[in-house]
Amino acid sequence: MIRIAPEPWAAMVAHARASYPNECCGAMLGSAGDGARNVQQAIALPNAFAGAQAARYELRPEDLLAADKAARDLQMDLLGIYHSHPDCDAYFSATDLANSCPWYSFVVLSIQNGEFHHANSFLPNFDQTEAPKEELIY
Ligand SMILES: [Zn+2]
């Protein structure tokens, strides 16, 4: 289960709406315990994909490392990655799965006509062959 506090959730939705019609991406920081991940801070990261960003995002490894360091400085953990799907459902695509990491939660926000529509979170398995949904509370 992943629970996103109101402040980071508002920041994630605002980032996804501001990036529309392109995909946005960012990091989710917080703490894990009692079988739940609690997101307390969201950090917007640049979409580094060189091609059309309406259906694709790419995170630079150095940005992810900086987010991980920021988490440790705040005594938090890097819990996951979020990105948006403009005018598309919040599903986990084959590309998303191929670019995933098994130890992170992946939150996908569906933005339809520029407005937040729905969101899902996925937990890729170790082999990155499937990513079951996990419970998402926001
Ligand atoms: Zn995606």
Side-chain angles (χ1 to χ4, degrees):
M1 182 215 284
I2 183 164
R3 194 186 289 117
I4 305 177
E7 205 175 306
W9 177 250
M12 288 161 62
V13 170
H15 184 207
R17 291 180 62 206
S19 305
Y20 182 88
N22 287 338
E23 289 198 11
C24 75
C25 52
M28 299 181 294
L29 280 44
S31 56
D34 293 333
R37 289 172 155 177
N38 294 294
V39 175
Q40 285 140 332
Q41 188 155 339
I43 298 181
L45 297 174
N47 182 347
F49 184 61
Q53 294 186 353
R56 188 88 183 256
Y57 82 101
E58 197 176 297
L59 280 169
R60 276 192 298 254
E62 57 266 39
D63 290 332
L64 210 50
L65 279 175
D68 189 53
K69 186 182 182 307
R72 277 182 280 120
D73 289 346
L74 293 163
Q75 272 152 36
M76 294 181 192
D77 291 313
L78 177 57
L79 299 178
I81 306 296
Y82 70 89
H83 74 283
S84 61
H85 278 183
D87 294 325
C88 201
D89 274 346
Y91 72 108
F92 210 57
S93 71
T95 308
D96 289 335
L97 187 58
N99 294 334
S100 67
C101 307
W103 49 89
Y104 293 137
S105 290
F106 284 81
V107 170
V108 182
L109 296 93
S110 169
I111 304 294
Q112 317 241 353
N113 296 313
E115 297 297 330
F116 172 73
H117 195 270
H118 65 282
N120 287 308
S121 186
F122 302 89
L123 274 175
N125 67 357
F126 193 75
D127 300 322
Q128 289 171 256
T129 49
E130 55 183 359
K133 251 190 219 181
E134 68 175 333
E135 191 183 351
L136 167 65
I137 297 169
Y138 56 82

